[in-house]
Amino acid sequence: MKRVSQYVALVAYVVFLAFPLLWLLSTALKTPQEMALTEPTWIPREPTLANFTDAFGEQDLVGAAARSLVVALFASVITVVISLPASYAMARYRGLVNKIAIGWVLVSQVFPFILIIIPLFMILRDLDLVNTLPGLVVVHVTFTLPFALWMLQGYVRAVPPELEEAASVDGASRLRSIVSVVAPLLAPGVVATLLFSFISSWNEFMFALVILQDPDVMTLPLTLVRFTGPEGVARLGPLAAASLMATIPSLIFFAIIQRRLKSGLMAGAVKG
Amino acid sequence: MTATETRAAPPRRSRARRRGPSRKTREMWLLMLPAMVPVLLFSMGPLLYGIGLAFTDARNTRVHQTEFVGLENFTALLADDEFWSSFRIGAIWSVSVTVLQFVAALGLALLLNEKLRGRAVARVLSVVPWAMPPVVIGLMWKLVYHPDAGILNDLLGTHVNWLADFSLALPAIIVVGVWAGMPQTTVVLLAGLQNVPKELYEAGEMDGAGSWRRFWSITLPQLRPVIVAITSLDFVWNINQFGLVYVLTQGGPGGRTRLPMLFAYEEAFRYRMAGYASMLGLAMAIVVLAVLGLYLWRQMREAR
């Protein structure tokens, strides 16, 4: 009896979690004619990929995806490059700085974005960075940094300091021991942080909305939202298709990170 | 450095001792510098600037002489009916989403912690909303709620324009909020559940405690720190929510889903009242800190 009710509950959860996803998929595969039917259908009668090609045909969407890609690439690489040394410092010299950094991560969660975005907008306007992609890169780097630092310093901490000491006993310089001993072991952590920063930037909407007001420079999330005008049902198919494609990078990220997180690299390093 | 040099030379050993940490400290600051510059310039700086703006009549335009006005924005805020209506909506939204998220996530985490068939499917599904861009979540639910092409009206046999209905729009977006925020909460609670020592349950069973009893007197007290942490975070995230609701309703119909952050966004970027919007943000920050402080203080007192 208990088991039965547990299964009923589990099925209810699965339905609640899955049905909007299935509906998105179903909408993406429908023809405009089928979309206009008064009785919506779950399974498309004539499944079509036309919506995906239509979405690719929209100049706006392709350009926006390209801009999102550029912004996310720059933002993630810059984030990792500047947070690597800082995360090393945080992990190796614990103390006041570490506490301040953690405190800032928490504070930046509590304060509403509006308090930061208004002055930030004014600063970027004075630097002529409003409506530019570099402006958005700067903002994305700044707001991904706290969490990227947090992630990376965890990975640094997992590299035993004894390994560095062993290298310096063998006559390696400080820098040399970091480059040839710590860096390879950090690779999985760097990849994970890079992906995380990439996804944060790729998905980000709020700052982009404020900073990019010119349709010619809008990123993918903004263009997707603009796509849902009052034009009616006809454009829902391509919209659903584009939304699905916009989700692919995040899905890849989650697939990778699940394997990466449990890699047994460390155990081998310490034993060897 | 210069100070030590002008002074009479101290004994050698203490000098060497003092030099060690100072070199280390210098090294640390040097390593921290590249990360600190953007945070100071584009995050901490603007935050302080924003708090300052709250006490001015700043306009979001290039040609405006900004003046200090003291608490004028604050008194205007207190007298603004639209603000209070937005505040009320924000309170309903953040409390109900946080509570529903927690209850739903706890139920799911408990189920996933049991050895049930098909839980792998549920486990993967429970992470998917996490992996989706918030904008896509909003658009997807717009398709579900769509009055003509949406599935919900078909399932329920209704003809409702969910997101444009004065009384249904807020509950409709609350459902989306719960859907979108459940994964993090579930994952955190599940991790907490797996850390509850098995011996406690065995002891409980020996004492003849039923499963309900074991839940109340073992699971919940053991999970307490995790629950407090995740509900606090959820509350902060929910009250500061913007993107999801912006995509779904833009605050409509008639402001019925205009959360405080949407209100502030409109004030700042549509009406260009930068000072007023900053005060709104500051007031919300104070409210959030007060609620969190009270909640954490009560939880800590009870835990003792």
Side-chain angles (χ1 to χ4, degrees), chain A residues 58-71 133 202 215-224:
Chain A
E58 295 270 346
Q59 271 309 309
D60 281 359
L61 282 175
V62 177
R67 283 188 293 273
S68 274
L69 187 69
V70 169
V71 169
L133 299 185
W202 176 268
D216 289 341
V217 293
M218 283 183 175
T219 50
L220 189 58
L222 295 177
T223 311
L224 279 177

Side-chain angles (χ1 to χ4, degrees), chain B residues 51-90:
Chain B
I51 293 173
L53 279 180
F55 301 96
T56 68
D57 66 348
R59 294 294 184 89
N60 199 357
T61 47
R62 276 182 204 263
V63 281
H64 176 73
Q65 205 65 42
T66 299
E67 273 171 38
F68 180 77
V69 294
L71 287 172
E72 218 168 83
N73 286 326
F74 187 66
T75 48
L77 197 65
L78 291 183
D80 188 346
D81 286 342
E82 285 200 38
F83 165 70
W84 285 110
S85 130
S86 164
F87 185 80
R88 199 178 58 85
I89 291 163

Side-chain angles (χ1 to χ4, degrees), chain B residues 229-253:
Chain B
I230 191 67
T231 46
S232 308
L233 271 176
D234 279 341
F235 175 74
V236 172
W237 286 332
N238 287 329
I239 195 135
N240 289 336
Q241 176 60 259
F242 175 83
L244 195 61
V245 179
Y246 183 90
V247 174
L248 281 164
T249 62
Q250 296 215 334

Side-chain angles (χ1 to χ4, degrees), chain A residues 3 7 13 16-17 20 23 40 86 93 97 104 109-110 112 115 119 125 138 142 174 203 205 209-210 228 250 254, chain B residues 24 27-28 31-32 43 46 49 60 62 104 108 114 117 131 133 135 143 149-150 179 236-237 240 246 269 278 281:
Chain A
R3 275 280 122 129
Y7 275 109
Y13 273 110
F16 175 60
L17 287 168
W23 186 243
Y93 320 94
V97 173
W104 178 245
Q109 299 285 317
V110 172
L115 266 184
R125 193 180 50 199
V138 165
T142 310
R174 184 71 188 279
N203 289 355
F205 173 71
L209 178 73
V210 171
T228 53
S250 323
F254 271 81
Chain B
K24 252 190 139 178
E27 209 176 82
M28 184 188 71
L31 290 169
M32 294 294 287
S43 175
Y49 189 5
N60 199 357
R62 276 182 204 263
L108 182 57
E114 298 276 326
R117 256 164 222 248
V135 164
L143 293 176
W179 190 91
V236 172
W237 286 332
N240 289 336
Y246 183 90
F269 295 99
S278 298

Side-chain angles (χ1 to χ4, degrees), chain A residues 2-3 5-7 9-11 13-24 27-28 30 35-42 81-90 92-94 96-98 100-101 104 106-129 138-139 141-143 145-146 149 174 199 202-206 209-210 213 220-222 224-225 228 232-233 236-237 239-240 242-244 246-247 249-251 254 258, chain B residues 23-25 27-36 38-39 41-47 49-51 53-54 58-62 103-108 110-112 114-119 121-122 125-136 139-144 146 148-152 154-155 175 178-179 182-183 211 214 233 236-237 240-244 246-247 250 261 264-265 268-269 272-275 277-282 284-285 288-289 292:
Chain A
K2 193 185 157 201
R3 275 280 122 129
S5 56
Q6 281 178 335
Y7 275 109
L10 194 65
V11 169
Y13 273 110
V14 168
V15 169
F16 175 60
L17 287 168
F19 96 95
L21 297 168
L22 293 176
W23 186 243
L24 180 66
T27 308
K30 274 181 195 163
M35 203 84 75
L37 293 179
T38 43
E39 291 271 299
T41 46
W42 267 108
V81 167
I82 63 181
S83 53
L84 256 179
S87 62
Y88 182 82
M90 274 172 76
R92 286 288 185 262
Y93 320 94
R94 300 181 199 179
L96 189 63
V97 173
N98 211 347
I100 293 175
W104 178 245
L106 292 175
V107 167
S108 62
Q109 299 285 317
V110 172
F111 276 91
F113 89 107
I114 196 81
L115 266 184
I116 292 176
I117 194 74
I118 296 171
L120 190 58
F121 178 81
M122 292 173 165
I123 293 169
L124 291 176
R125 193 180 50 199
D126 292 342
L127 295 172
D128 273 325
L129 285 174
V138 165
V139 175
V141 167
T142 310
F143 288 90
L145 254 180
L149 273 175
R174 184 71 188 279
I199 296 303
W202 176 268
N203 289 355
E204 202 278 326
F205 173 71
M206 203 163 62
L209 178 73
V210 171
Q213 288 159 355
L220 189 58
L222 295 177
L224 279 177
V225 172
T228 53
V233 180
L236 291 182
L239 174 73
S243 300
L244 278 174
T247 312
S250 323
L251 287 179
F254 271 81
Q258 277 188 328
Chain B
R23 196 182 65 90
K24 252 190 139 178
T25 318
E27 209 176 82
M28 184 188 71
W29 285 109
L30 200 68
L31 290 169
M32 294 294 287
L33 196 66
M36 280 171 61
V39 168
L41 274 183
F42 297 110
S43 175
M44 275 191 200
L47 179 63
Y49 189 5
I51 293 173
L53 279 180
R59 294 294 184 89
N60 199 357
T61 47
R62 276 182 204 263
V103 173
L106 182 62
L108 182 57
L110 286 170
L111 285 172
L112 291 178
E114 298 276 326
K115 287 190 175 54
L116 295 175
R117 256 164 222 248
R119 69 174 172 163
V121 179
L125 270 176
S126 69
V127 181
V128 168
W130 201 348
M132 292 174 79
V135 164
V136 170
L139 294 175
M140 178 180 75
W141 278 90
K142 267 184 114 160
L143 293 176
V144 169
H146 199 283
D148 306 318
I151 192 68
L152 196 63
D154 189 54
L155 284 176
V175 170
V178 173
W179 190 91
M182 231 172 76
S211 56
R214 288 201 297 272
L233 271 176
V236 172
W237 286 332
N240 289 336
Q241 176 60 259
F242 175 83
L244 195 61
Y246 183 90
V247 174
Q250 296 215 334
M261 284 312 112
Y265 169 80
F269 295 99
R272 315 227 156 245
M273 309 294 273
S278 298
M279 179 52 90
L280 206 161
L282 185 58
M284 290 310 295
V288 170
L289 285 174
L292 269 189

